[in-house]
Amino acid sequence: MVVFWFLLIALVVVVAAVALFVAGGGSGAALPEAAADRTVWPLPADRPMARADVDTLRLPVALRGYRMAETDEALDRLGAELAERDARIAELEAALAGAQAAAMGGGAQAAGRTGGGAGDDEGETRK
């Protein structure tokens, strides 16, 4: 019977100690907020990101960390997609500029032919 009371009192003491530890654990958060390990964001704020920006970007590692292999894979994919997008945009802009130049040049040539033909007709009428 003495052993029973001893174990019961020991159990109550352990439960009380755990409850006090959990309740008095500070701000109540399970883990404190991670402190920033850098203050300067390396990505350009004044222009769109380029492939080189993504290649040089390294995410900070905190106490809780991140899975570096997956993050690096994601950044590699992002960089490749940005490069493909930039190449496609440049290709489309070049095609648009060529089409606009052809439209401007074609319109001027057509106007020149129409105007020149009208002048020739008038000259022939005067003779």
Side-chain angles (χ1 to χ4, degrees):
M1 189 70 157
V2 176
V3 175
F4 172 74
W5 286 108
F6 176 76
L7 289 177
L8 183 63
I9 292 172
L11 180 65
V12 169
V13 169
V14 169
V15 169
V18 169
L20 286 174
F21 179 76
V22 170
S27 65
L31 291 174
E33 288 299 319
D37 62 347
R38 64 178 179 192
T39 57
V40 178
W41 188 250
L43 296 176
D46 58 339
R47 63 177 170 79
M49 284 192 322
R51 171 68 194 240
D53 297 324
V54 176
D55 287 341
T56 59
L57 175 66
R58 293 295 170 252
L59 299 174
V61 179
L63 177 63
R64 289 173 251 178
Y66 65 93
R67 294 184 179 215
M68 291 172 34
E70 283 104 359
T71 303
D72 291 342
E73 182 180 335
L75 289 174
D76 290 343
R77 179 178 173 187
L78 176 64
E81 289 180 7
L82 284 173
E84 288 176 23
R85 182 207 62 189
D86 291 344
R88 180 69 176 148
I89 288 172
E91 177 185 328
L92 291 172
E93 285 177 342
L96 179 63
Q100 287 176 338
M104 294 279 195
Q109 289 175 353
R113 277 187 250 133
T114 306
D120 292 340
D121 290 339
E122 289 176 11
E124 290 176 7
T125 309
R126 289 185 211 163
K127 287 183 182 175

